[in-house]
Amino acid sequence: MRSDVRDYTLTAPGSLNAVLSALAANPRLTPVAGGTELMVALGVGRLGPHELISLHRLKELRFIEEHSGILTLGAGTTFTDIRRNATIAREFPLLVQTAAWTGSIANQNRGTLGGNIANASPAADSPPALLVYDATIELVSANGRRTLPYGEFHLGYKKTVLLPGELIYAVRLPCRFAKHRQYVRKVGTRNAQAISKIALAATALMDGATVREIRLAGASLVDRPARLHATEAVVLGKAITPELRTLAAAALASEIKPIDDIRSTAKYRMAVACNLLDEFLLSL
Amino acid sequence: MAPKEPIVGAPALRYEGEAKVLGRAKYIDDLHFPQMIHGATVRSKFPRGRITAIRYGEGVPWDEFTIVTWRDIPGENTIVHLLKDHPCLVEEIVNHPEEPIVLLAHPDKALLRKAVDAVTIEYEPLPAVFTIEESEAPDAPVIWNSEAGDSPNVFKTYLMEKGNVDDVWASADYIIEGEYSTGAQEQLYIENNGVIAEYTEESVTVWGSMQCPYYLHHALQLAFALPEEKCRVIQVETGGAFGGKEDYPSVIGCHAALLAMKSGRPVKMVYDRLEDMAATTKRHPSRTRHRTAVSKDGRLLGGEIEFAIDGGAYVTLSPVVLSRGTIHAAGPYNWPNLRIRAKAVATNCPPHGAFRGFGAPQSIFGLERHMDLIAKTVGITPEELRRRNFLQPGGSTATGQLIKDPIDLNGMLTRALEESGYHAKRAEFTKTNPTSPIKRGIGFATFMHGAGFTGSGERRLNSLVAIEIDDEGSPEILVSSTEFGQGTNTILCQVAAQTLHIPYKNVRIAQPDTHRVPNSGPTVASRTAMIVGKLVEDASHNLLTCMRASGLLEETYTPEQFCHAALAYKQKHGELRATARYQAPGDIFWDDDKYRGDAYPAYAWAVYVAEVEVDTRTYMAEVKNFWALQEVGKVLNPVLAKGQVEGGVAQGIGYAIYEKCVWKDGVMANNQMTNYIMPTSADLPPIHVLFEEVPSIHGPFGAKGIGELPMDGPAPAILNAIEEATGVCFNHCPLLPEDIFDKLANPTSISADSSQLQPAVAGPVFSGTTS
């Protein structure tokens, strides 16, 4: 432990309303859900925020419910909750897969979907799955609630639309992907307990040989979790031919901006992203 | 009478296993002494320079802290290994990042951390080198120089010659060259380095997680200028070591003891993972160059091998790592003519040190990759090339050692290839690979590993063991050989039990404490089972002789009769104790100057086969199946032996394709388990462990060494399999997906490398990569 815990304060008001009031009163408070990201920073002495407020075990945030074709996951849903839910397994298998890839079993027991989204790592496992399932996200603060497409939530590297005092309340997924071809592949540094070098998620609805609908999203391809709109546009409404695959790869290469870092290289990430896209297109 | 079932060769339960499983085992961080405070280290953040100022920043109550610098060292400012160039604390010149400069102690651990961060050190920078190539460059700055070294920046060189290699080149059908390199590797024991030290009445005691209590005992005598009886070292339960706790405990042990002396209180120092990975020793990076003369029927006519390792900033153990690497560079083959030039060079990285295999995995990697290149060039299979060149009984090794044991490498190769389905798989993969995005391959490596200290090392160690009867009439083994997960306690008790004809559970083994146990040598070099085990067997015989001579014990007896006789002897004579001291076998000779003779009393021999898949979409290689066949003499405990091999293979797989130390000006940049990638169980294949047992006269009940062997073979076997799968040759480990991508996705870089040429294209005289 490289931090002195006496330098930190943690309050746990115990209800969502109390948390929102506290956040409204003190904008310096940093919300903590499962703490799986924060504890790592604390351990190595790099945790910047010193005033923390706990969302752990807030019942109002931990739920999974389905109403008229919309599945709603509370922000406090853990990855273990996701892995164990029969509706998610049936309707959103990619989300189950990415939850299983997230950290270790212990991380999955503590870590929450909302925390993972708010942490806003471009390498996070679940956001690409949420993006290709056309998720919307609901935010809550003392001033009220607002809902927006999840694709508009991330603004840049570790930047989101969240305002001071605002929390993620829930993520909503339309249950209409049963007939879509679905794909996700993570290329990590190893097969378990790994951070993505890159990942690609995709859903597509075929009409004969023609691509009627397509959604693509990746991890560590740009500075944030993001849809790959230019590549989607090339493929939409077309049949998969060798020429189209080449055009799609070119579009992908033009819209992603992978980087060199301690885990991999930009050129490797670029090449593998194109290979994964091709693997998906070939499967259609 | 003796127990009916043999104890040696049976899976006796791990001696300390119950305490470990139930959480009763006490590791260093579980121990708390009255008045104990905590110690920490202020380290250089700079590779090389002269210290111009040390400032203690504001906001820290410095008067509450114990502060130690080199001026507080009562004896010599050195951590003694082979030389004394390694300072305990920096005086003026910093030679590597993370070098210890100031020590701090305080009761409050969290405050200690802030104090470390509040010390700033100013330097006048000096030029530095970080790789073998930079260190040996003609215009390289001289960063290390000593009368003991062979030339500037060179810690040690060896020249090993057999026959006359200069005469073979003209008549060779093929001359094949290759260069191979390996990276550093972190031991990654579960428990980080840690000690507690106490200094009272001019004597010093250190408890710690370690392999070699007598190494630290020696280091303390010099640093504190105390006689040996005033220094005491006690090993506590140790959570893994792999060589990483061979020499490093001398550093942290002396540091804690200095703080204890100055503060007058017991001081605990336990590194966290970041500090342990950044500051302590790792496997030496290496480079091996081969130039080999081969006949057209695939016989090795002669070879030149240049072997270089990066020793880091101080000599530490590099000369002996180099020695083992040099001797193993020739492998289990018959070389009529051979010249090996080896050197350990200085760089401004933290000193590299012992790690399972100790130089051998590095040079064996080079040789076993090169053997596959030779086979490809000559146009025969890797299997056939080895069969034509294997050492045979009656033949002689590269050092001129006569092979007396009835080894059968051809038979072992046949068995390993059969068990792994090698031939069928090769045929299948050749058929399926062209149309599959996943390329499969199978490859192997054949190798040997010498047990015990090299050359005259065991003679110099002069190891002593004792067995003493305790108050309940049970024999207790007294050795400095330590348990750190590999099974020392268990196998030594098995050997004593079987020799004494009493049940395994009746035998005790003492906690290694230099005030109590004799020096049976360090727990390194695959020597414990063979050398120390033999001494335990001898001491057990001596104990029986003593009891029988007294008339208290009949020729045959029950365990109860043994116990009664032992207690009766003890009552009469005050104590019952037998010892055994190492005696060099009469027919073992070694010439240190010429590096000729019997390098090791015995060798373990092995054939390892790896089956891999390379996904051409992600460029990831995975080991899908693994067969490890070895001849290690008598297997003392099949469960522990299998565990040793499985663990070594897993570590070898990490070495081959996962574990990369990312260096930035001598600093390990990925000193966290998130970014230093060791394989998990999800990355490891089934590991089939197979033994052959040819008893050796040098070990107890015929046992030889086993600990290091499994580290030697996986990396070359895996890279040989990857070449089989992809058709592309890779000569560096660790081999990461990014490296595979660089060659597979960039064909021009492949054709530029002559190792890819086919023999028909290359012509009869084949010269590979030139300088």
Side-chain angles (χ1 to χ4, degrees), chain B residues 458-535:
Chain B
E458 289 297 341
R459 216 173 296 224
R460 280 195 295 268
L461 280 177
N462 199 20
S463 298
L464 182 67
V465 313
I467 296 187
E468 211 170 78
I469 296 298
D470 72 10
D471 292 338
E472 278 146 29
S474 297
E476 186 178 35
I477 300 168
L478 302 176
V479 289
S480 63
S481 308
T482 49
E483 172 68 51
F484 38 88
Q486 81 286 41
T488 297
N489 288 344
T490 310
I491 57 157
L492 295 184
C493 289
Q494 282 180 273
V495 167
Q498 173 116 6
T499 312
L500 295 170
H501 303 296
I502 59 173
Y504 165 70
K505 63 177 175 48
N506 288 14
V507 181
R508 310 267 172 275
I509 185 163
Q511 180 176 32
D513 171 350
T514 56
H515 266 24
R516 175 127 202 272
V517 300
N519 190 349
S520 62
T523 308
V524 302
S526 307
R527 67 182 291 278
T528 303
M530 185 175 81
I531 305 281
V532 183
K534 186 75 179 170
L535 292 177

Side-chain angles (χ1 to χ4, degrees), chain A:
Chain A
M1 173 66 73
R2 293 201 166 185
S3 300
D4 185 348
V5 289
R6 294 167 298 195
D7 296 340
Y8 295 84
T9 60
L10 174 69
T11 52
S15 77
L16 181 59
N17 281 337
V19 167
L20 293 174
S21 305
L23 283 169
N26 180 0
R28 285 189 310 275
L29 285 173
T30 297
V32 186
T36 55
E37 184 78 18
L38 182 139
M39 288 303 291
V40 176
L42 187 75
V44 300
R46 291 188 206 125
L47 181 62
H50 280 66
E51 294 177 58
L52 310 169
I53 183 162
S54 174
L55 312 182
H56 186 53
R57 292 193 175 155
L58 285 188
K59 287 195 190 72
E60 302 94 315
L61 292 180
R62 190 172 177 182
F63 61 90
I64 299 172
E65 48 188 44
E66 193 193 345
H67 280 302
S68 40
I70 303 286
L71 185 82
T72 307
L73 296 97
T77 303
T78 67
F79 294 105
T80 302
D81 295 339
I82 291 172
R83 290 186 70 177
R84 287 179 180 169
N85 185 281
T87 310
I88 303 178
R90 190 179 66 241
E91 299 285 338
F92 306 105
L94 303 184
L95 191 56
V96 178
Q97 178 63 72
T98 54
W101 282 335
T102 305
S104 62
I105 299 293
N107 290 138
Q108 292 166 15
N109 287 339
R110 289 286 305 209
T112 66
L113 185 63
N116 193 226
I117 293 170
N119 185 53
S121 163
D125 290 308
S126 291
L130 298 176
L131 287 165
V132 299
Y133 285 135
D134 212 14
T136 54
I137 190 164
E138 183 174 350
L139 312 179
V140 63
S141 72
N143 298 328
R145 300 188 179 202
R146 55 176 176 142
T147 299
L148 62 155
Y150 176 52
E152 294 171 14
F153 178 82
H154 296 284
L155 298 175
Y157 178 73
K158 293 252 177 187
K159 275 194 194 147
T160 71
V161 300
L162 280 173
L163 298 169
E166 199 171 33
L167 296 176
I168 298 169
Y169 175 70
V171 171
R172 297 187 206 286
L173 301 169
C175 299
R176 55 175 196 81
F177 288 90
K179 295 211 168 80
H180 284 60
R181 307 283 180 85
Q182 306 192 9
Y183 171 95
V184 69
R185 188 157 178 194
K186 169 176 174 168
V187 180
T189 49
R190 62 187 161 208
N191 286 337
Q193 302 201 23
I195 299 172
S196 274
K197 289 177 178 177
I198 80 146
L200 185 73
T203 54
L205 186 64
M206 298 301 289
D207 183 359
T210 308
V211 178
R212 169 87 64 79
E213 261 186 48
I214 185 163
R215 290 180 182 79
L216 300 166
S220 299
L221 297 181
V222 291
D223 63 358
R224 72 198 83 163
R227 285 269 293 275
L228 302 165
H229 293 295
T231 312
E232 291 171 4
V234 168
V235 179
L236 190 65
K238 308 274 173 43
I240 307 300
T241 61
E243 296 72 34
L244 184 83
R245 284 162 48 208
T246 307
L247 287 173
L252 182 69
S254 70
E255 75 173 320
I256 65 176
K257 292 184 182 59
I259 59 164
D260 287 325
D261 66 9
I262 203 160
R263 279 186 286 282
S264 191
T265 63
K267 58 182 181 175
Y268 171 84
R269 288 178 159 123
M270 177 67 84
V272 174
C274 292
N275 290 348
L276 297 193
L277 174 66
D278 204 47
E279 182 180 56
F280 174 61
L281 295 179
L282 274 172
S283 74
L284 292 178

Side-chain angles (χ1 to χ4, degrees), chain B residues 420-479:
Chain B
S420 60
Y422 174 85
H423 292 111
K425 281 177 178 155
R426 262 193 123 195
E428 184 197 339
F429 299 163
T430 309
K431 211 183 297 171
T432 56
N433 278 346
T435 54
S436 171
I438 292 174
K439 310 295 182 194
R440 293 187 289 167
I442 188 162
F444 66 92
T446 52
F447 54 100
M448 90 274 222
H449 197 98
F453 262 40
T454 304
S456 33
E458 289 297 341
R459 216 173 296 224
R460 280 195 295 268
L461 280 177
N462 199 20
S463 298
L464 182 67
V465 313
I467 296 187
E468 211 170 78
I469 296 298
D470 72 10
D471 292 338
E472 278 146 29
S474 297
E476 186 178 35
I477 300 168
L478 302 176
V479 289

